[in-house]
Amino acid sequence: MTKQHLIMAAVAAVAAIAAVWAGAPPSTVLLVVVLLGCPLMMLMMMRSMSGHDGDTQHDRQGEDHKGAGQP
């Protein structure tokens, strides 16, 4: 987890605490956090996977050589 992720998590925690303090039911705040957290985590995972593009080119070259002798 990077420093940027920790900052975003702290901001989300402060916003959730402020919502409860303002009168929102804690169960509603928890539901909103879960519903928003799931897609955000998916986006972060997809972003972290994009750094591995260099490996796929090497793998593709190896597959081309393996399949060349087969009809």
Side-chain angles (χ1 to χ4, degrees):
M1 189 176 259
T2 64
K3 185 177 180 182
Q4 181 184 9
H5 293 139
L6 290 175
I7 292 171
M8 290 187 326
V11 169
V14 169
I17 291 169
V20 170
W21 184 69
S27 60
T28 302
V29 173
L30 182 61
L31 180 64
V32 170
V33 167
V34 169
L35 290 176
L36 291 178
C38 185
L40 290 175
M41 286 187 288
M42 185 63 126
L43 288 173
M44 285 190 285
M45 286 189 295
M46 295 299 288
R47 177 185 278 176
S48 69
M49 288 175 57
S50 67
H52 301 290
D53 288 340
D55 294 339
T56 57
Q57 184 180 10
H58 179 69
D59 292 340
R60 288 182 190 155
Q61 289 175 354
E63 290 175 3
D64 291 341
H65 293 296
K66 291 177 186 175
Q70 297 177 355

